[in-house]
Amino acid sequence: MTPGPFKRIALILLSAVLLGLSLHHGFGNAWLSQYTYASGTSDPPLAGLANSAAAHTTTAPPSGAAGIPAGIQAAPQTAKPPAPAAPVQPDSVQPDAEQTLSKRVVQYNMHVALREDIRYLDGSQTVTWTNPGKKTVSELYFHLYPNAFQSEKSTFMRESGGQLRGDKATVDGQGYMKLLTLQTLEGESLLPRLHYVQPDDGNTDDYTLTKLKLPVPVAPGKSVTLSMTYEVKLPEVFARMGYSGSFVMAGQWFPKLAVYETAGTRGRTNEGWNVHQYHGDSEFYSDFGLYSAQITVPENFKVASTGIQTKEAVTQNGKSVYPFYAEDVHDFAWSASPDFIYAEDTLSGTGIPGVRIKLYMDPAHEGLKDRYMHAAKSSLSKYAEWYGEYPYSTLSIVVPPKGANGAGGMEYPTLVTALAADSDNPGYSLERTVVHEIGHQYWYGMVASNEFEEAWLDEGFTSYAEDKVMENAYGVEPNLAMEASYITAPAPLKQPSWAYHNSDEYAENVYMRAKLVLVGIEKQVGAKTMQKIMRTYFQKYKFKHPTTSDFQRVVEQVTKEKWQDYFHQYVYGSLMADFSVEAIRVNEVQKDGQTAYESTVLIKRNGGQNGPIPLVFSFTDGETISKIWDAAESHMEYKVMHAAPLAWVAVDPKNSNVLDNRHINNFMRAEVPEQSRIRWSLGLTKLIEGLLASVGW
């Protein structure tokens, strides 16, 4: 019902004030402050997904070395990696050749040197790929992620507009990867066989994905080994990688093989490559294997890395070489700075056989060491208790310096980055970020979903788990009603990350709405059963790249119920569960010679179903009547006879329906004249309380 002009203006002013407060306290960008994790924002079908070379748009490499188009100047003289100092002692736990947790499809042996100006990396690697399928394979695909930053014409820059999670590319933000050599072990050059491909959008200015036609096809179960050298120009830190001052974050920095999916993986009927470009709102997908890296840096730099440091660093000629090794992981990242303040501690317990927690802090946060360690221990302990063992012997946490938040809030196997040290009083954002990123060790690191196509299986699951730890360890409960109100553009969760219209819609859905979908399941089955669902899913699919249908099957197996309708509405579909009080009519009647009041109330379901919905009818004599509506129909009309007039009606007054994103229609007063009736939301009261409470920390 339309309010009068004055009330319309008052309502608009109130909304503006609330919006202003929301933005002032960071709620307008809630997914940035609480979910600044590109995991990005993991974590999509499948239009445009090509499984054969013929389906790809191809362009030959520009003149010069592969990986860098014509017009980009060659970097300064390539520095030769010398030998090399170690302020950090090597890990006591050595590689275990006996224990195999994953199908080790790839093996990388990498050497990389950071130049003195810290703007360039000089790399070489041998990579071995073992064909996991039942068909002979005649081509390989490599991701060259740094080429996303070589021009504003790349798919990443076109889609992101040079912005990601509040950070903007700078004038020094250009970066690239230049393949210098690519050879067989016999020395045959394969560069002429390399072509850029753009399976998602046909953008011939995008050089983030290449196809290599092999001279000799690889039979099932057989392997191919290639060697390559390359040069990386690091951008000024942006979108998870780059430099800032003397700080370097090397994420997605080496030529990385795509994933060859066997039949049955993620529902595939035919095996083939899963290949995508680097998009503005997507993360990554790789196969498990072994990684060995020799990282050369100026001698005064400390290095944090995926995996374990196998020996003390060697220093000579002003350079230090750090050796690292990791197994049963699907990515490798490292960070370096001369300014790191290093601290470490150990943790062991149920599901944690012994983990060395290594903290690399910016000096501005040295005094916050205990908070970082507590957050790391709390999250590791709870995740291991709830979901399963953390099988690695190390976990590194990097705190970027002020101004380098483009590298912050990101996850890699056994290494995470916190938010940058921009504030000496970061509030719970410090703990929340660490807890969230360590949660990724499970849903991104070990479960390893396809974040190109099903980001919600990582980001949503991690956000759900993060809330559990924050409540358990710090007593911080999420305001789910408020978070639901941010969802203004609900969209299917199982779709390509780049199918969302913008980064806000991506974040609303794969982080927040996905989390609420999981909470919605928990509300129906109970916390204990939900924990069993999550643990069963992790245990069954760790190291296996599951898909949405795999999770649905686990839900159905554990609960012994069908969940097709729920998944159809909220996962494969874009519904929210909005319910409203549509109309109230109160009539005075005579009954048995006495005056009574007959109230007719119309309740409407405006979206999907989400279990029974509680209703409260309150009368002017102070009495209330509670009812439960199964919400099976689109609407329900109630007739209630009572000695006193109806005062108000509320739908779901305790906000148990977490998928309701429009609480303003949940409440209606009966005595307000029809022509000026305004719905007042109980959820709005909660919102105001939440905004006021946020001032306290």
Side-chain angles (χ1 to χ4, degrees):
M1 294 133 191
T2 305
F6 176 78
K7 290 187 177 180
R8 185 198 301 259
I9 294 171
L11 187 58
I12 292 173
L13 289 174
L14 176 60
S15 300
V17 170
L18 288 172
L19 179 60
L21 285 170
S22 175
L23 293 173
H24 177 70
H25 292 292
F27 293 111
N29 291 310
W31 75 279
L32 292 176
S33 60
Q34 297 187 19
Y35 306 90
T36 309
Y37 325 104
S39 173
T41 262
S42 310
D43 57 42
L46 294 171
L49 174 61
N51 294 321
S52 66
H56 293 169
T57 303
T58 64
T59 56
S63 58
I68 176 170
I72 298 294
Q73 296 298 312
Q77 180 64 39
T78 301
K80 303 296 183 184
V88 181
Q89 293 298 312
D91 298 81
S92 58
V93 179
Q94 295 299 309
D96 183 356
E98 300 301 320
Q99 187 179 28
T100 300
L101 302 175
S102 67
K103 293 180 180 179
R104 297 174 177 177
V105 177
V106 295
Q107 182 171 345
Y108 292 86
N109 188 359
M110 304 181 288
H111 293 74
V112 60
L114 175 66
R115 295 189 198 169
E116 290 286 349
D117 64 2
I118 75 165
R119 303 297 195 268
Y120 295 90
L121 304 177
D122 298 298
S124 64
Q125 68 183 34
T126 60
V127 56
T128 299
W129 179 76
T130 301
N131 183 350
K134 297 181 178 180
K135 296 182 179 179
T136 297
V137 174
S138 59
E139 70 274 333
L140 301 180
Y141 290 85
F142 284 91
H143 295 286
L144 307 183
Y145 287 119
N147 283 339
F149 313 116
Q150 67 185 14
S151 83
E152 58 187 26
K153 295 181 180 180
S154 74
T155 293
F156 177 92
M157 296 299 283
R158 285 181 178 180
E159 292 178 353
S160 69
Q163 300 185 58
L164 185 67
R165 303 184 303 167
D167 295 299
K168 295 182 179 180
T170 67
V171 293
D172 295 319
Q174 185 189 60
Y176 60 77
M177 172 176 283
K178 179 181 179 181
L179 289 182
L180 303 174
T181 63
L182 175 60
Q183 298 177 325
T184 65
L185 291 182
E186 294 73 31
E188 178 186 355
S189 176
L190 301 181
L191 282 180
R193 293 173 170 267
L194 199 67
H195 288 76
Y196 298 108
V197 293
Q198 302 85 17
D200 301 324
D201 63 2
N203 175 15
T204 56
D205 292 312
D206 187 79
Y207 304 100
T208 59
L209 182 66
T210 59
K211 181 183 76 172
L212 173 66
K213 181 71 174 179
L214 292 168
V216 179
V218 185
K222 301 300 181 180
S223 301
V224 60
T225 299
L226 304 175
S227 65
M228 58 187 71
T229 60
Y230 52 93
E231 171 186 275
V232 175
K233 165 65 173 65
L234 295 171
E236 187 168 24
V237 72
F238 170 65
R240 312 177 184 97
M241 72 175 298
Y243 69 88
S244 179
S246 57
F247 168 82
V248 171
M249 184 68 229
Q252 311 304 328
W253 58 277
F254 61 95
K256 190 195 305 185
L257 278 165
V259 177
Y260 188 84
E261 295 180 330
T262 57
T265 301
R266 302 182 55 256
R268 288 190 77 128
T269 55
N270 296 307
E271 64 185 72
W273 290 99
N274 187 282
V275 289
H276 298 292
Q277 300 151 242
Y278 193 1
H279 289 272
D281 286 317
S282 76
E283 291 191 18
F284 314 104
Y285 181 41
S286 309
D287 245 329
F288 290 98
L290 307 176
Y291 291 78
S292 176
Q294 303 283 324
I295 303 172
T296 301
V297 295
E299 65 177 325
N300 61 329
F301 277 59
K302 302 179 184 73
V303 176
S305 173
T306 291
I308 61 174
Q309 185 178 333
T310 57
K311 299 178 182 177
E312 290 189 14
V314 177
T315 299
Q316 67 180 52
N317 301 327
K319 299 287 185 178
S320 297
V321 176
Y322 289 79
F324 288 92
Y325 174 80
E327 57 190 21
D328 299 309
V329 298
H330 54 76
D331 200 358
F332 190 98
W334 57 276
S335 181
S337 172
D339 302 320
F340 280 147
I341 302 296
Y342 179 77
E344 71 170 67
D345 205 344
T346 58
L347 177 67
S348 61
T350 303
I352 305 174
V355 177
R356 187 177 178 185
I357 301 174
K358 301 188 288 186
L359 179 58
Y360 300 81
M361 291 172 291
D362 181 78
H365 274 197
E366 182 177 8
L368 302 176
K369 178 191 72 173
D370 291 343
R371 287 178 61 183
Y372 282 108
M373 284 294 184
H374 186 273
K377 290 181 179 182
S378 298
S379 50
L380 265 183
S381 298
K382 287 303 173 184
Y383 295 142
E385 175 188 342
W386 295 337
Y387 310 130
E389 180 180 350
Y390 179 81
Y392 307 109
S393 62
T394 185
L395 175 67
S396 296
I397 303 168
V398 173
V399 182
K402 183 177 181 179
N405 203 47
M410 188 57 192
E411 71 282 353
Y412 308 93
T414 77
L415 182 147
V416 301
T417 62
L419 294 182
D422 290 335
S423 169
D424 58 3
N425 184 22
Y428 277 127
S429 62
L430 184 155
E431 285 81 5
R432 185 175 287 280
T433 304
V434 172
V435 168
H436 182 100
E437 302 310 329
I438 292 177
H440 278 302
Q441 297 300 306
Y442 280 75
W443 310 114
Y444 148 85
M446 287 182 272
V447 171
S449 303
N450 184 336
E451 293 199 77
F452 289 123
E453 299 180 3
E454 296 178 272
W456 85 282
L457 289 176
D458 174 36
E459 298 298 353
F461 280 55
T462 301
S463 298
Y464 171 87
E466 164 205 332
D467 277 356
K468 297 293 184 184
V469 174
M470 290 302 295
E471 184 173 356
N472 183 280
Y474 300 101
V476 177
E477 298 184 20
N479 191 328
L480 299 177
M482 183 192 300
E483 291 176 18
S485 70
Y486 295 138
I487 300 174
T488 58
L493 299 180
K494 185 176 168 36
Q495 66 173 338
S497 294
W498 56 94
Y500 295 98
H501 292 106
N502 52 54
S503 59
D504 287 342
E505 184 175 300
Y506 168 81
E508 284 180 17
N509 284 279
V510 304
Y511 288 83
M512 203 171 296
R513 183 168 169 272
K515 178 185 74 174
L516 295 175
V517 166
L518 294 177
V519 177
I521 297 174
E522 179 183 316
K523 291 286 187 179
Q524 295 190 47
V525 304
K528 185 176 180 179
T529 299
M530 187 63 183
Q531 189 176 102
K532 183 178 180 181
I533 288 171
M534 300 292 280
R535 185 179 182 89
T536 302
Y537 175 66
F538 174 77
Q539 293 292 336
K540 186 172 184 176
Y541 290 108
K542 58 185 176 181
F543 304 105
K544 292 181 181 177
H545 307 306
T547 189
T548 297
S549 58
D550 294 320
F551 176 64
Q552 181 181 335
R553 277 193 292 273
V554 169
V555 175
E556 293 178 339
Q557 289 166 3
V558 172
T559 62
K560 296 179 173 55
E561 296 178 0
K562 292 294 184 181
W563 284 81
Q564 183 59 39
D565 287 346
Y566 187 88
F567 275 73
H568 177 75
Q569 293 176 92
Y570 301 115
V571 177
Y572 301 105
S574 58
L575 292 180
M576 295 296 285
D578 175 40
F579 294 84
S580 61
V581 184
E582 283 295 305
I584 298 175
R585 185 175 65 253
V586 180
N587 293 321
E588 181 179 314
V589 297
Q590 296 296 317
K591 186 177 182 181
D592 299 329
Q594 299 202 3
T595 300
Y597 297 88
E598 182 184 66
S599 300
T600 304
V601 179
L602 178 62
I603 308 295
K604 186 177 179 182
R605 173 167 60 82
N606 305 300
Q609 283 183 273
N610 188 25
I613 298 299
L615 309 173
V616 175
F617 299 78
S618 180
F619 299 89
T620 58
D621 61 1
E623 289 193 27
T624 60
I625 296 175
S626 296
K627 294 181 179 292
I628 299 293
W629 179 34
D630 63 11
E633 306 296 331
S634 63
H635 62 277
M636 174 63 71
E637 185 177 89
Y638 288 90
K639 288 184 181 292
V640 181
M641 190 74 71
H642 195 73
L646 184 66
W648 52 261
V649 177
V651 175
D652 189 28
K654 294 184 179 180
N655 296 322
S656 60
N657 174 21
V658 295
L659 288 166
D660 189 343
N661 63 332
R662 296 183 66 241
H663 294 92
I664 200 166
N665 59 11
N666 286 22
F667 180 83
M668 181 179 286
R669 290 192 178 277
E671 72 271 15
V672 179
E674 183 76 18
Q675 65 270 23
S676 61
R677 183 173 295 148
I678 301 174
R679 297 186 180 99
W680 285 93
S681 170
L682 295 180
L684 184 60
T685 303
K686 296 289 186 183
L687 174 61
I688 296 172
E689 291 173 353
L691 290 171
L692 294 176
S694 71
V695 179
W697 174 259

